[in-house]
């Protein structure tokens, strides 16, 4: 290069012109810039994203890592091992992970395998508490393969993804309507929309993210707490069906709700309450029961002069692993024992439609058996008003797609880690498949 400069300075004008037409010197070998692109960069939490990496060396080994934080600042992370193709590219829709938090072709694996980081308290769920702000996930590409919990190699590319639980235009209305508490989510537009009541289990409080996603999908969704929220009872000692009846009537009469009947979706204790609602309340015409018991459990349920006693847990039948994880699978009283027949929910009285969703590896309780008992009871009375979605390898809490899998979770009441069961990949697939089927079922029976 110095020779060219000297020549250019000393040459005559004609020589300089000739030199300008001469071919440029060879460039040094190009250094590729590694990039990771996630599309859409901001999207709905129940939708898939497409993740691509470019600019790697052919066959280069990298670790893809996802990092997110909950509202309290606790970190969650996941990782997976990949090898670039001959062009130095990766596409998570078609390329397989060879290790890390999961293996195989799993486009959303980095999301559903998010788990508390090594320095955090274990057994926490990554569940959004606020539906108005997105969950932010940082996607990082590290050199080499690093195992979960170890210090990863240098970062060569990164991108941020926003996972939203509400679409633009969805309205959230906090409720204090008579005795009813909760949040009503309304889709954009004039409506009317099919109405759905949404309930979770014995963790209590107000859990809104499924309701906000249902509203995004066109439902007027009422997220309904039933204890440990505002002026509701702090603990679940006994329940009155009149509270749920008031909620069903409120939703049914709302000017934005289509009617004539409403639906209900519940998980765990919430699913069991959904079965009681469709059985006794004419306003409820469709029930999605995720991991329910076919009998009333824990708290007695009153309705007028009627009482359904609750099956109890026998703590002597709880086993504890060497790592301190509680297994309560065998602890619930047997609903098939004739002495417990008064606890059975008489679902054969229901005029509406049932969708039972169960994970066959649920270790919280025997939800596959309970669904069989419920279906047997319906058939015994000549009814075929049900569908069953039964997922091998799925655990207890089947949530909307890409919700991080949590095999063991801290129990809010007991304050100890409790086994929920399931295998991460099978559970993730169950969440994705069931979410579409749940929406189809509700649209079919609610209009």
């Amino acid at each position: 290069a110095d020779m060219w400069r000297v020549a250019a300075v000393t040459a005559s004008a004609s020589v300089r012109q000739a030199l300008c037409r001469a071919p440029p010197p060879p460039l040094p070998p190009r250094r590729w810039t590694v990039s990771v692109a996630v599309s859409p960069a901001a999207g709905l939490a129940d939708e898939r994203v497409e993740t691509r990496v470019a600019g790697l060396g052919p066959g280069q080994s990298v670790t893809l890592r996802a990092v997110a934080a909950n509202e309290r600042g606790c970190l969650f992370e996941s990782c997976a091992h990949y090898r670039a193709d001959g062009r130095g590219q990766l596409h998570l829709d078609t390329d397989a992970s060879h290790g890390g938090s999961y293996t195989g072709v799993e486009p959303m694996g980095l999301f559903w395998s998010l788990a508390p980081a090594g320095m955090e308290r274990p057994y926490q769920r990554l569940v959004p508490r606020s539906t108005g702000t997105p969950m932010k996930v940082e996607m990082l590409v590290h050199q080499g393969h690093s195992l979960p919990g170890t210090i990863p190699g240098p970062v060569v590319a990164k991108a941020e993804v926003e996972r939203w639980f509400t679409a633009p235009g969805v309205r959230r209305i906090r409720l204090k309507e008579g005795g009813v508490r909760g949040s009503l989510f309304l889709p954009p537009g004039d409506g009317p929309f099919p109405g759905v009541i949404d309930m979770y289990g014995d963790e209590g409080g107000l859990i809104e993210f499924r309701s906000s996603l249902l509203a995004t999908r066109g439902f007027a969704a009422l997220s309904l707490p039933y204890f440990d929220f505002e002026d509701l009872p702090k603990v679940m000692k006994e329940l009155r069906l009149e509270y749920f009846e008031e909620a069903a009537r409120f939703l049914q009469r709302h000017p934005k709700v289509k009617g004539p009947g409403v639906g209900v979706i519940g998980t765990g204790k919430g699913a069991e309450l959904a079965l009681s609602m469709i059985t006794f309340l004419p306003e409820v015409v469709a029930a999605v029961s995720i991991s329910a018991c076919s009998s009333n459990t824990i708290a007695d349920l009153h309705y007028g002069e009627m009482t359904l006693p609750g099956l109890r847990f026998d703590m002597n039948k709880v086993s504890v692993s060497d790592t301190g994880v509680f297994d309560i699978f065998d602890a619930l009283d047997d609903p098939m024992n004739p002495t417990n027949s008064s606890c059975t929910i008489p679902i054969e009285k229901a005029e509406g439609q049932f969708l039972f969703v169960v994970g066959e590896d649920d270790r919280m309780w025997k939800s596959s058996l309970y669904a069989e008992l419920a279906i047997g009871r319906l058939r015994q009375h000549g009814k075929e008003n049900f569908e069953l979605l039964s997922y091998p390898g799925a655990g207890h809490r089947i949530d909307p797609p890409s919700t991080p899998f949590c095999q063991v979770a801290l129990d809010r009441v007991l304050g100890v880690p409790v086994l929920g069961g399931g295998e991460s990949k099978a559970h993730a697939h169950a969440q994705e498949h069931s979410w579409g089927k749940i929406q189809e079922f509700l649209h079919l029976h609610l209009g």
Side-chain angles (χ1 to χ4, degrees), residues 317-340:
K317 293 181 179 175
V318 174
S319 62
V320 185
S321 73
D322 294 341
T323 55
V325 173
F326 283 56
D327 185 344
I328 63 172
F329 185 67
D330 290 315
L332 188 67
D333 290 345
D334 182 3
M336 293 189 290
N337 187 324
T339 60
N340 295 322

Side-chain angles (χ1 to χ4, degrees), residues 18-329:
L19 285 173
C20 287
R21 290 192 295 273
L27 291 168
R30 180 173 174 184
R31 287 191 57 133
W32 290 97
T33 303
V34 182
S35 63
V36 56
V38 186
S39 177
L44 291 166
D46 61 351
E47 290 181 347
R48 281 190 176 197
V49 298
E50 195 173 349
T51 305
R52 293 177 182 268
V53 181
L56 298 168
Q60 183 178 342
S61 295
V62 289
T63 297
L64 264 64
R65 214 165 129 250
V67 180
N70 66 11
E71 282 84 349
R72 295 187 300 276
C74 296
L75 286 179
F76 291 74
E77 62 181 0
S78 59
C79 73
H81 300 161
Y82 289 93
R83 279 195 184 86
D85 64 16
R87 296 170 301 164
Q89 297 178 357
L90 283 176
H91 185 198
L92 266 57
D93 278 12
T94 52
D95 292 328
S97 164
H98 304 289
S101 303
Y102 61 91
T103 57
V105 179
E106 294 293 334
M108 297 302 293
L110 287 167
F111 293 87
W112 54 249
S113 63
L114 283 163
M119 77 289 283
E120 302 290 358
R121 191 181 180 196
Y123 311 133
Q124 297 183 76
R125 286 189 188 281
L126 181 54
V127 174
R129 297 291 168 197
S130 165
T131 57
T133 54
M135 181 187 293
K136 293 183 179 180
V137 182
E138 191 170 33
M139 306 287 273
L140 302 130
V141 183
H142 297 267
Q143 284 183 19
H145 287 167
S146 47
L147 294 171
T150 63
I151 297 171
V155 174
V156 293
K158 61 182 177 178
E160 189 175 78
V161 189
E162 291 186 353
R163 306 284 283 164
W164 285 87
F165 292 87
T166 8
V170 169
R171 283 198 297 144
R172 173 181 178 266
I173 302 158
R174 282 298 296 273
L175 279 191
K176 272 199 170 181
E177 191 72 30
V180 178
R181 301 291 175 263
S183 297
L184 176 63
F185 291 86
L186 294 174
D190 295 332
F193 310 102
V196 181
I197 292 171
D198 177 24
M199 299 179 296
Y200 272 91
D202 60 6
E203 61 265 60
L206 179 65
I207 301 173
E208 299 176 309
F209 75 101
R210 185 166 60 192
S211 300
S212 64
L213 286 172
L214 284 169
T216 294
R217 300 296 170 203
F219 297 92
L222 170 56
S223 183
L224 186 69
Y226 47 96
F227 75 102
D228 195 25
F229 181 72
E230 292 185 349
D231 56 354
L232 296 175
K234 283 304 286 179
V235 294
M236 188 174 51
K237 279 188 177 169
E238 54 183 2
L239 295 166
R240 298 209 67 87
L241 199 61
E242 283 84 356
Y243 172 77
F244 303 91
E245 181 176 51
E246 189 181 351
R249 287 178 176 171
F250 163 80
L251 190 61
Q252 183 195 36
R253 293 167 185 168
H254 195 281
K256 292 276 189 183
V257 171
K258 191 179 278 186
V262 298
V264 60
I265 177 172
T267 299
K269 178 64 184 177
E272 172 201 305
L273 285 164
L275 298 182
S276 292
M277 288 171 73
I278 195 172
T279 296
F280 296 109
L281 307 180
E283 296 84 1
V284 178
V285 298
V288 179
S289 161
I290 302 171
S291 308
C293 185
S294 51
S295 293
N296 186 53
T297 66
I298 308 167
D300 293 354
L301 180 66
H302 307 284
Y303 186 45
E305 300 298 309
M306 181 211 75
T307 296
L308 281 181
L311 294 178
R312 300 295 191 241
F313 280 95
D314 182 351
M315 296 311 286
N316 293 318
K317 293 181 179 175
V318 174
S319 62
V320 185
S321 73
D322 294 341
T323 55
V325 173
F326 283 56
D327 185 344
I328 63 172
F329 185 67

